[in-house]
C-alpha cells in the first residue's frame, strides 16, 4: 500500500489505518516515511506514532538547508528489550536516503518472528486471556503496590495470565486516558512484545475513558469492577447468586452502552412505522432495563423464599454465628474445620459466593448455626453490594459475627478496615464480634503475638483443629453471655404474625 499525505512543518494528519495483520500482536504491514524540514532527528511523537500505529518502521528524511534529501533515520519496535531500557524501540544508524543499505522486508519478518517467540515463551493456556495490569494513582506508593498485588490475584482467580503490571504516579490524572500518553505508548509496545490483547485497570473507568483507551491501543479494556463481576459470574452456583451477578453486570453495563460502536446508532425503523423508529442504542438500553426489572422480580421471589427459611430457622432459637472477612482470609476453611463439612475452599479470591449454613455443637452442650458468607474486598462495587443484599441479609439475623483476618498478609490492617467499612454500610457495626487472626502458621510468631495483643484477637490456623480451642471457648463465652442477657432472638410470640406480614409485603 502506498499513500501520500501532506501536512505542515510540525504535524501531519494520518487517517484511519487498516487493522493489524493476523492478530493484535502483529505489526500493521505499513512503513511511514516523512520529512523533517530542519534536519532534526526522530522525535518522541514519531516514536509514539510507531507504537500506537504498530508500524513496521518509521523513518524521517532529514532535509538539508538547500531543500535536498539528506540522511535517512529509521526506527522499529523491539521484539524484546535486551538493553534493560524501557523505550521499546531501536533507532537504526543514519543511512543515505537514496541508497538505504537495509532489507526492510527481511527485518520486518524477523521482528514478527521474534514477537511470536516472545509471546509463546509466556506460560499460559491457549484459552486464557493475557493481560497487562495498570494502576494510575496520585496516592501513596505502598497502597498502590498492595492494590496492584490484589489485582494480580483477582486476575489469576479469573483465569487470566498476567504478562506485566504497571504502576504510574503522575502529578495529575489524565482525564481522557487516565494514564499519560508516553506511558500508554510503552504499554502498547509491551502488549506487542507479550502477545497481549487485554488491559485491566485497577481504577474504575468511565465510558469515555474506556472508548479513548480502546481507540488508542486497539486493545480490549476493562476495569477492576468488571474483573470482579467476571469472577462472580464464573463462581455463582445457586439460582439466587446467578440472578444477583447478572443484575450487577447489567447495572454496570447500562451507562456504558453509549460507548459502543457507531453501528448501534443506525436506525431500525420497520415497514409502516411512523418516523425513523428507535435507534439500536435505545433498543439495547430498553432491553437492558427490561431485563433488570425481570431479574428484580425473580430476586424478590427468591428473597421471599429465603425469608421463609430464615424465619423457620430463627424460630428454632439456635444462636447464629456468621463468618465475615476479607476474601481469601480462610473463612470457608475455618467453617470446614469447625463443623467437619466439605464446603468448597480454594486459595483464590471469592471462592465462596453462595451462603452456606452448618450446625455446630459446642462442648458445653448447646448448638449454634455457623453461616459462611461471601468475602468482602476494598472498593466493593456499589452495584454488586446492592445486588447481593439478599445474600448479605443473612448477617442481620446473626447473633455474633466472626471476623476472620489473614494476619500473614502485609496489608491485613487495610483489609480489616475495608471489612469494617462495609459492615458500617450495612449498619452491622453494633453486632457482637469475635476477631480472629488466621494463618498464624505463615507469619512470624513474635509478630503474631504483638498483633494479637494489640487488637485483642484470637490466633488460629484454620487448617489445624488443634489451634481452635481458644476460639471455641471465646465463642461459647460470647454466646452464653448473650443468652444470659437475653440478647439472642427470644421466643417469637407476636413476631410470628409480624413475619407473615413481612413475607406478604415482599
Amino acid at each position: 500500500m502506498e499513500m501520500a499525505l501532506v501536512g505542515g512543518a510540525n504535524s501531519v494528519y494520518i487517517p484511519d489505518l487498516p487493522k493489524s495483520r493476523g492478530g493484535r500482536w502483529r505489526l500493521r504491514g505499513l512503513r511511514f516515511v516523512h520529512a523533517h524540514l530542519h534536519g532534526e532527528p526522530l522525535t518522541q511523537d514519531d516514536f509514539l506514532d510507531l507504537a500506537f500505529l504498530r508500524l513496521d518502521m518509521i523513518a524521517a528524511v532529514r532535509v538539508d538547508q538547500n531543500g535536498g534529501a539528506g540522511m535517512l533515520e529509521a526506527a522499529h519496535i523491539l521484539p524484546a528489550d535486551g538493553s534493560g531500557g524501557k523505550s521499546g524501540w531501536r533507532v537504526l544508524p543514519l543511512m543515505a536516503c537514496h541508497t538505504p543499505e537495509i532489507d526492510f522486508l527481511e527485518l520486518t519478518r524477523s521482528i514478527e518472528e521474534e514477537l511470536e517467540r516472545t509471546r509463546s515463551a509466556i506460560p499460559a493456556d491457549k484459552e486464557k486471556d493475557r493481560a497487562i495490569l495498570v494502576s494510575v494513582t496520585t496516592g501513596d506508593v505502598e497502597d498502590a503496590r498492595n492494590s496492584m498485588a490484589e489485582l494480580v490475584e483477582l486476575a489469576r482467580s479469573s483465569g487470566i495470565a498476567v504478562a506485566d503490571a504497571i504502576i504510574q504516579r503522575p502529578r495529575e490524572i489524565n482525564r481522557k486516558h487516565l494514564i499519560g500518553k508516553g506511558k500508554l505508548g510503552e504499554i502498547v509496545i509491551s502488549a506487542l512484545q507479550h502477545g497481549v490483547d487485554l488491559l485491566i485497570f485497577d481504577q474504575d473507568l468511565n465510558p469515555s475513558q474506556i472508548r479513548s483507551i480502546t481507540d488508542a491501543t486497539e486493545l480490549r479494556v476493562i476495569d477492576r469492577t468488571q474483573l470482579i463481576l467476571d469472577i462472580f459470574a464464573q463462581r455463582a452456583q445457586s439460582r439466587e447468586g446467578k440472578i444477583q451477578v447478572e443484575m450487577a453486570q447489567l447495572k454496570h453495563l447500562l451507562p456504558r452502552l453509549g460507548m459502543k460502536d457507531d453501528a448501534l446508532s443506525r436506525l431500525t425503523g420497520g415497514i409502516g412505522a411512523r418516523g425513523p423508529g428507535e435507534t439500536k442504542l435505545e433498543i439495547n438500553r430498553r432491553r437492558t432495563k427490561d431485563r433488570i426489572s425481570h431479574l428484580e422480580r425473580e430476586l424478590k421471589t427468591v428473597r421471599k423464599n429465603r425469608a421463609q427459611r430464615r424465619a423457620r430457622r430463627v424460630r428454632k432459637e439456635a444462636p447464629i454465628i456468621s463468618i465475615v472477612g476479607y476474601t481469601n482470609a480462610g473463612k470457608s476453611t475455618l467453617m470446614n474445620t469447625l463443623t467437619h463439612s466439605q464446603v468448597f475452599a480454594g486459595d483464590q479470591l471469592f471462592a465462596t459466593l453462595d451462603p452456606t449454613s452448618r450446625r455446630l455443637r459446642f462442648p458445653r452442650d448447646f448448638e449454634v448455626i455457623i453461616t459462611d458468607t461471601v468475602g468482602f474486598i476494598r472498593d466493593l462495587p456499589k452495584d454488586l453490594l446492592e445486588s447481593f443484599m439478599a445474600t448479605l441479609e443473612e448477617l442481620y439475623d446473626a447473633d455474633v459475627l466472626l471476623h476472620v483476618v489473614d494476619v500473614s498478609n502485609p496489608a491485613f490492617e487495610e483489609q480489616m478496615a475495608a471489612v469494617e467499612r462495609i459492615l458500617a454500610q450495612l449498619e452491622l457495626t453494633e453486632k457482637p464480634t469475635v476477631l480472629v487472626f488466621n494463618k498464624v502458621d505463615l507469619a512470624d510468631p513474635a509478630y503474631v503475638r504483638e498483633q494479637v495483643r494489640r487488637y485483642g484477637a484470637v490466633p488460629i490456623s484454620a487448617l489445624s483443629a488443634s489451634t481452635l480451642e481458644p476460639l471455641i471457648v471465646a465463642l461459647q463465652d460470647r454466646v452464653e453471655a448473650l443468652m444470659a442477657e437475653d440478647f439472642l432472638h427470644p421466643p417469637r410470640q407476636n413476631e410470628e404474625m409480624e413475619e407473615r406480614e413481612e413475607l406478604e409485603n415482599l
Side-chain angles (χ1 to χ4, degrees):
M1 176 185 291
E2 294 180 0
M3 183 184 299
L5 304 173
V6 179
N10 299 315
S11 64
V12 59
Y13 171 73
I14 301 175
D16 289 341
L17 297 175
K19 299 295 183 184
S20 305
R21 300 172 297 150
R24 293 181 177 89
W25 50 88
R26 295 285 301 277
L27 300 176
R28 200 179 295 272
L30 296 175
R31 296 192 292 273
F32 180 35
V33 182
H34 64 301
H36 278 190
L37 301 181
H38 303 291
E40 68 272 23
L42 289 170
T43 66
Q44 184 69 17
D45 285 342
D46 291 328
F47 295 132
L48 291 178
D49 287 339
L50 175 68
F52 286 122
L53 301 177
R54 301 176 189 234
L55 299 172
D56 295 4
M57 189 165 293
I58 190 164
V61 177
R62 295 189 179 184
V63 178
D64 60 29
Q65 293 179 346
N66 300 317
M71 303 300 286
L72 180 73
E73 185 178 29
H76 63 80
I77 287 174
L78 279 175
D81 191 358
S83 66
K86 294 185 178 181
S87 63
W89 52 75
R90 176 190 174 206
V91 180
L92 300 176
L94 287 172
M95 63 193 86
C97 65
H98 56 282
T99 56
E101 297 178 358
I102 187 169
D103 187 336
F104 289 105
L105 291 178
E106 176 60 26
L107 177 60
T108 301
R109 185 188 62 78
S110 65
I111 291 172
E112 290 196 328
E113 286 179 353
E114 184 62 27
L115 285 171
E116 181 59 34
R117 280 195 294 271
T118 305
R119 173 178 173 272
S120 301
I122 300 174
D125 298 335
K126 289 183 178 179
E127 65 274 11
K128 277 188 177 181
D129 279 316
R130 299 164 185 262
I132 292 175
L133 311 186
V134 184
S135 175
V136 185
T137 179
T138 56
D140 181 72
V141 64
E142 193 61 33
D143 288 343
R145 287 172 181 160
N146 290 336
S147 187
M148 177 58 78
E150 188 171 89
L151 190 66
V152 170
E153 284 302 305
L154 285 168
R156 184 179 69 85
S157 298
S158 187
I160 294 171
V162 177
D164 199 3
I166 296 170
I167 298 175
Q168 187 186 41
R169 298 180 67 242
R171 292 181 180 177
E172 56 181 313
I173 299 295
N174 183 312
R175 297 181 65 181
K176 183 176 181 180
H177 296 108
L178 193 70
I179 194 167
K181 193 173 181 181
K183 181 63 71 173
L184 196 59
E186 292 179 20
I187 290 172
V188 170
I189 291 177
S190 180
L192 264 176
Q193 293 172 336
H194 295 99
V196 165
D197 66 351
L198 176 64
L199 298 182
I200 304 177
F201 279 77
D202 196 29
Q203 289 72 31
D204 281 344
L205 303 175
N206 62 44
S208 64
Q209 287 171 334
I210 293 178
R211 179 64 180 266
S212 297
I213 298 169
T214 300
D215 287 346
T217 64
E218 292 187 11
L219 300 171
R220 290 182 295 137
V221 178
I222 65 172
D223 56 24
R224 178 188 179 89
T225 295
Q226 288 170 288
L227 179 61
I228 292 174
L229 289 173
D230 180 74
I231 296 172
F232 273 57
Q234 293 181 44
R235 304 277 164 74
Q237 298 295 324
S238 68
R239 176 60 183 156
E240 178 184 4
K242 291 177 180 178
I243 290 173
Q244 292 173 124
V245 169
E246 187 179 353
M247 277 182 58
Q249 287 177 319
L250 291 175
K251 287 179 178 179
H252 187 72
L253 172 67
L254 190 58
R256 290 161 172 77
L257 284 176
M259 72 173 193
K260 294 297 181 182
D261 192 82
D262 292 339
L264 285 179
S265 62
R266 287 180 296 182
L267 301 181
T268 58
I271 296 174
R274 295 180 60 182
E278 290 182 294
T279 65
K280 280 280 188 183
L281 181 58
E282 288 168 344
I283 289 173
N284 282 336
R285 282 178 173 161
R286 177 170 51 80
R287 287 175 176 170
T288 300
K289 289 178 180 178
D290 289 346
R291 180 61 179 167
I292 291 174
S293 297
H294 172 73
L295 291 172
E296 286 174 342
R297 290 192 296 271
E298 281 197 57
L299 189 58
K300 195 173 183 180
T301 301
V302 170
R303 292 178 71 177
K304 181 177 179 179
N305 294 336
R306 177 179 289 278
Q308 290 171 335
R309 292 196 301 272
R310 200 163 60 237
R312 288 195 297 269
R313 185 176 67 200
V314 170
R315 275 198 295 273
K316 294 180 180 178
E317 299 180 33
I320 298 172
I321 300 173
S322 286
I323 305 176
V324 298
Y326 210 77
T327 181
N328 205 29
K331 299 181 298 300
S332 298
T333 301
L334 175 58
M335 180 171 181
N336 285 338
T337 306
L338 279 172
T339 63
H340 307 288
S341 53
Q342 298 294 322
V343 175
F344 175 73
D347 183 19
Q348 55 190 18
L349 304 189
F350 299 115
T352 301
L353 287 189
D354 301 309
T356 308
S357 296
R358 295 289 186 273
R359 284 190 171 273
L360 172 65
R361 178 167 289 278
F362 280 136
R364 295 178 192 170
D365 201 28
F366 65 88
E367 279 192 344
V368 296
I369 294 172
I370 302 282
T371 301
D372 187 19
T373 57
V374 61
F376 297 158
I377 195 168
R378 74 181 83 190
D379 303 322
L380 187 69
K382 182 174 180 289
D383 292 334
L384 202 56
L385 185 62
E386 290 177 353
S387 296
F388 269 76
M389 279 305 298
T391 300
L392 297 173
E393 280 177 358
E394 292 279 346
L395 300 178
Y396 292 102
D397 290 317
D399 299 296
V400 176
L401 297 182
L402 185 57
H403 183 178
V404 180
V405 177
D406 175 7
V407 74
S408 70
N409 191 308
F412 83 89
E413 291 176 310
E414 288 83 354
Q415 293 181 352
M416 285 174 58
V419 172
E420 289 166 0
R421 281 194 298 271
I422 294 173
L423 291 176
Q425 285 180 262
L426 299 173
E427 299 180 352
L428 290 168
T429 52
E430 299 303 316
K431 289 275 186 184
T433 302
V434 174
L435 182 62
V436 175
F437 280 177
N438 187 27
K439 305 186 184 182
V440 296
D441 52 315
L442 302 180
D444 177 67
Y447 172 78
V448 171
R449 285 193 298 271
E450 172 60 24
Q451 299 307 319
V452 165
R453 183 196 61 77
R454 180 181 176 190
Y455 288 100
V458 180
I460 67 164
S461 170
L463 292 171
S464 175
S466 62
T467 67
L468 300 186
E469 184 176 349
L471 172 60
I472 292 173
V473 170
L475 289 174
Q476 288 181 133
D477 290 344
R478 183 61 59 90
V479 172
E480 285 185 335
L482 291 172
M483 293 171 74
E485 297 172 14
D486 200 26
F487 279 179
L488 294 179
H489 33 258
R492 300 194 168 197
Q493 300 167 353
N494 299 327
E495 290 189 25
E496 290 191 19
M497 185 175 297
E498 293 175 8
E499 284 171 6
R500 289 197 203 98
E501 292 176 357
E502 180 184 349
L503 293 174
E504 289 171 0
N505 292 330
L506 283 175

